[in-house]
Amino acid sequence: MGLFWLKAPAALFLCGALLGAGFPQPDAKRMLGTWVLTDNDNVPFNLILRADGSSLTVIGKRHPDLGEPQRMTRNQLLETGSWQAWGNGIRSTYRDGWTDTIQLGPAGLVQWSWKPGASLNGGPSNHGKAVQLTRPISAWVGAYKLQPTQPEKPPYLAVLTSSGMAFNNIDQVADGSWSLRDNGSVMIKWTSGWRSLIKPPSSGIPAPNQTFSVQHWRPGVPISEPASATRSGTRL
């Protein structure tokens, strides 16, 4: 249940305590990797902290708008930023003005987040438990730029979340699911009926900016048949 039971004064007090020197300072290198946090709607999202100081979030929401389905935008799928050591943990800031922090407290690692324009000296906009993912498959969680089947169309974004859901900004119905196959490739089954198979490079799970091969199957074409198209992709 995280820290959602705390009332505002108690939360603010604990926030100040976490920024003090009362708890051991975590090793920043151990903070690298993929985390599960929650947004201000209490929906889980993933935060990826990289050794070069960059950070990336991927968001696992079903279509957020009411009414007719429509394509998702880039900022509904991901946000880029940078992170640094802060207090008893780390602080990650993004281009849209949001700030996420992970702090080591008496009950373990917790998340504090501030919306754009909010002072870090005030109470956070939302807070909860921070969970670091350690399973090897979690290294696939992230954002990818994929070339579509139609060569005249620009690349589109696809994100893989730790919940097993995938989202893109090319389909009207923008979600789906993903799974790891025995040969190490990733199969994405889009709700629209399309299927996409990410084939890792020889080095394994693609690193940021590394390219790889992607096979696409049109709706109604079994994956036992040749792919409708083979294109390339790049990890963000």
Side-chain angles (χ1 to χ4, degrees):
M1 64 183 289
L3 299 177
F4 292 101
W5 52 269
L6 288 175
K7 294 183 179 179
L12 186 57
F13 173 79
L14 182 56
C15 179
L18 294 178
L19 298 181
F23 303 101
Q25 297 291 320
D27 183 351
K29 291 183 180 179
R30 294 185 178 180
M31 306 291 280
L32 298 176
T34 305
W35 294 80
V36 181
L37 308 180
T38 52
D39 68 10
N40 55 324
D41 294 321
N42 201 25
V43 175
F45 69 94
N46 294 120
L47 167 61
I48 301 168
L49 303 178
R50 292 172 172 159
D52 64 358
S54 65
S55 58
L56 172 74
T57 67
V58 292
I59 304 168
K61 290 183 179 180
R62 288 189 179 274
H63 201 283
D65 301 316
L66 299 177
E68 293 297 321
Q70 54 184 298
R71 290 184 179 88
M72 298 181 77
T73 62
R74 178 186 174 92
N75 63 2
Q76 289 174 322
L77 295 175
L78 62 93
E79 186 57 60
T80 57
S82 60
W83 71 275
Q84 63 187 67
W86 191 67
N88 293 316
I90 64 95
R91 178 181 68 190
S92 179
T93 56
Y94 312 102
R95 294 179 180 178
D96 65 356
W98 274 92
T99 299
D100 292 321
T101 72
I102 300 173
Q103 299 294 310
L104 179 62
L109 290 161
V110 295
Q111 167 203 357
W112 299 85
S113 298
W114 284 262
K115 63 183 180 181
S119 171
L120 299 187
N121 295 321
S125 305
N126 62 289
H127 46 83
K129 187 176 182 180
V131 178
Q132 189 173 27
L133 302 179
T134 57
R135 294 179 60 198
I137 191 174
S138 66
W140 277 104
V141 173
Y144 301 83
K145 183 183 291 185
L146 306 182
Q147 294 284 346
T149 298
Q150 302 88 337
E152 72 278 5
K153 289 190 175 182
Y156 67 95
L157 295 175
V159 299
L160 307 180
T161 72
S162 62
S163 67
M165 295 198 69
F167 299 85
N168 66 50
N169 66 348
I170 191 172
D171 294 327
Q172 292 285 350
V173 181
D175 63 358
S177 62
W178 70 277
S179 60
L180 188 65
R181 307 185 82 188
D182 291 340
N183 62 2
S185 59
V186 167
M187 174 61 75
I188 309 174
K189 296 181 178 179
W190 299 110
T191 302
S192 63
W194 283 89
R195 273 71 38 78
S196 300
L197 182 71
I198 297 177
K199 304 182 72 173
S202 58
S203 57
I205 298 173
N209 300 316
Q210 188 172 13
T211 59
F212 47 83
S213 176
V214 186
Q215 292 180 314
H216 298 292
W217 284 264
R218 296 179 182 276
V221 178
I223 59 173
S224 58
E225 295 187 7
S228 302
T230 298
R231 298 288 186 259
S232 64
T234 306
R235 183 163 191 167
L236 300 183

